[in-house]
Amino acid sequence: MGTRTAVAAFATCAALLAATGCSSSFGDKEPEQDKAGKQKLTVLIATSGDTETQAVKAAAAAYEKKSGNSVTVETAKDMNQQLAQAFAGHKPPDVFYVNTDQFANYAKGGSLYPYGDRISDADDFSQQLRTSFSYDGKLVCLPKDTSTLGLAINTDLWKKAGLTEKDYPKSWEELKTVADKLTGKGVTGLVTSDEYQRLGVFMKQAGGWLTDPSQKKMTADSPENAKGLEFVQSMLKSGSMKFAKQVDTSWGGEALGKGKAAMTIEGNWLQGGMKLDYPDVKYAIAPLPAGPAGQGTLAFSNCWGVAADSAHRDASVDLVKYLTSAKQQIAFADAFGVMPSRTSALKTYAEKVPAAKAWVEGSAYAQGPVTIAGFDKVLSQFNTDLQSLRTADPKKILADLQRNGEQAIAKGN
């Protein structure tokens, strides 16, 4: 490659890496591997707070004693930006969090070292989770934990409305009924975020989704998806459902904690937020009500990525094996409320935390995220369109999503 071309390619990659996953290697030879008996590893995480940071650092310290390797854990201020710069500059951390929005971008660009075939018990992770972090048919990285969505209920407001546990909604009609009954005097029956990461549950419950299971074909513009969004629209128009910002809150947990929402749709990270900010608020988690096609929820996760440019691949994979062991996943769950991604550890977690039953059981029928290179832009536009769902045409929103998604699939596969 000529010097001029290489410089131009490097500049383009540095500018576009975060969005496209442009490779940081440009076809160069494999990075020379450190053969020292003791290795120095760097780990970059996007933390939810001090509790998570300290838990990861404690796990790294335990690994250091076990392996003899040293591990430095750093927290990112802007994970995607810092990874993009690190990949482009050929100085990535050895191990790092990778979210599903960016996974395919990084995998397509060759920034991730695919170590899945070195994990002998990979089948202890559910098929849905493995699919989320596979590219070109190969498991690239291990999911570090898992989360699903449930219906969080402020039990004091529930009782004040004359409702009991028997009234927990099991269908859309029941959800609408109780939301109407709970709305009034500064309280909205259901408050949630104005994004597909919450509203998508209604599309799934109606029998739809954004793509087919192979992620090779868009299925957004369908009667099922329209039915899901139209149901949400009907609740928004009635006033029994509002988006979090409409009640001067930043997310569903805040609305629930401040007594502005009787119900919200959130994942198991809610536990940490409520414990920290609203420790006196009583709440319960129920399964999300079923729609015309049955039960539906969404699954979320990050994976432990290993850099393709790392000079410590073997030690990095060894560290990931330690961090994703059943014992360590339970320790993380105890520390900051995440659910284990290992099926065996998830069973232990369910026994230890009975209040999380609905979230745990949701794992059996949860829909994983779309992981197509460049699809993060499509979802960003979809979320922008959903903000106006109360007055917009759901079919138009879905038609635009279909068109944008088809373009991304054509480029990303």
Side-chain angles (χ1 to χ4, degrees), residues 192-200 243 266 383 386-387:
T192 190
S193 302
D194 55 357
E195 55 187 359
Y196 102 97
Q197 290 91 335
R198 301 293 179 276
L199 304 182
F243 294 142
E266 284 297 340
N383 281 340
L386 286 174
Q387 292 174 12

Side-chain angles (χ1 to χ4, degrees), residues 91-108:
K91 294 181 179 180
D94 298 295
V95 179
F96 43 89
Y97 286 7
V98 178
N99 65 43
T100 52
D101 286 350
Q102 295 299 326
F103 165 74
N105 294 336
Y106 298 149
K108 181 184 180 183

Side-chain angles (χ1 to χ4, degrees), residues 18 44-46 75-85 106:
L44 184 66
I45 66 173
T75 58
K77 291 183 178 179
D78 185 325
M79 192 68 168
N80 294 338
Q81 182 182 54
Q82 286 175 240
L83 279 180
Q85 292 171 342
Y106 298 149

Side-chain angles (χ1 to χ4, degrees), residues 393-405:
D393 179 2
K395 292 181 180 178
K396 171 67 164 55
I397 291 175
L398 292 169
D400 290 346
L401 172 61
Q402 178 80 20
R403 183 182 64 253
N404 294 339

